[in-house]
Amino acid sequence: MTDKTPAAPIPLTVLGTGAMGTALVRAWLAAGHPVTVWNRTAARAEALAAEGATVAASAAEAVAANRLVIVCLLDDASVGAALDGAGLTGRDLVNLTTGTPAEGRARAAWAQDRGARFLDGGIMAVPPAIGSPDSGGYVFYSGSAELFADHRDTLAVPAGTRYVGTDPGFAALHDVALLSAMYGMFAGMAHAFALIGPEDIAPKDFAPLLVSWLGAMSGSAHKAADRLTSGDYTKDVVSNLAMQVAGSATLLRTAEEQGVSAELLTPYLALMERRVAEGHGEEDTTGLVHLLSPRSADS
Ligand SMILES: NC(=O)c1ccc[n+]([C@@H]2O[C@H](COP(=O)([O-])OP(=O)(O)OC[C@H]3O[C@@H](n4cnc5c(N)ncnc54)[C@H](OP(=O)(O)O)[C@@H]3O)[C@@H](O)[C@H]2O)c1
């Protein structure tokens, strides 16, 4: 082999051929990787055999087939159930099953006890975005830096890769933090659509306004990060919390006028009021982080 000869695609195993596992397998097959698959319900793996995958009769057989083992199952309990009895010594286990940080850490210790290197992953993509480099989808990885370095090119086939540290809980933490922020945004969109709902305003005309407004407002994350880093939440504040709390009455009255429940809005407004009541009216909303997180040192 000369220096210019690309390395042959490495063989790998995928446990779990649900919607996400199937998309992952197809991406690796398309890139020329030999893939061994296993799924609890065998029929769900059969379609992939026609596409070139080798279907193993058991999870243990699939794990024995290759050093690199990808797991993409429903939850951490299913990972434990599937791998029970499989020989993991010398394996590189990459767990792309969504879980909590504590589950990622416990699963890493569990894998290490069984002689495997371990990497946890959090997939920031839906199945149709897998294997589509322009989709913007990616996977957070954390855990064994050596495993990540050794398999980085293979892991980059289905989606972009972002390694976020040796703590095996960090991939899940980053994943869940972003998902949680997303639900805040979904909550805001639901409330906004409910407000315009009774009126002669077409949702399809309103949607572009929401997209551009939320996009512009999301840039405030950079300012919040600067303030959290410096510890000064009053620097360069243009919309102070006292003013925002006063204005929130308008939001609540408008919801009432439109016959819309304010239940998605009121918890956040209550936090803003509490922070002002505690004497922080000159801040922006960054200080709410301290009300939510008892482990943050309050200013
Ligand atoms: N789909 C998405 O948009 C998306 C996006 C990001 C991350 N994820 C994550 O990817 C993972 C897989 O999601 P998915 O969309 O592929 O879900 P899915 O289509 O519901 O597939 C679930 C998989 O888990 C298996 N499974 C469930 N319980 C099991 C058990 N006790 N023992 C062994 N296998 C078990 C299922 O096997 P059977 O076929 O036998 O039921 C199937 O292979 C999840 O952790 C999910 O959070 C999904």
Side-chain angles (χ1 to χ4, degrees), residues 52-65:
T54 301
V55 180
S58 67
E61 184 184 308
V63 169

Side-chain angles (χ1 to χ4, degrees), residues 58 65 79 97 128 151 163 219-220 274:
S58 67
V79 175
T97 304
H151 295 298
Y163 181 74
S220 67
R274 213 167 104 204

Side-chain angles (χ1 to χ4, degrees), residues 10 42 156 158 193 246 260:
I10 69 152
F193 275 122
V260 170

Side-chain angles (χ1 to χ4, degrees), residues 15-22 38-42 44 72-75 77-79 81-82 96-99 122-127 175:
L15 302 184
T17 57
M20 185 55 84
T22 295
W38 170 84
N39 196 60
R40 179 183 61 175
T41 306
R44 231 175 156 187
C72 188
L73 298 169
L74 187 65
D75 54 18
S78 42
V79 175
L96 299 184
T97 304
T98 304
I123 303 175
M124 306 310 296
V126 291
D175 180 347

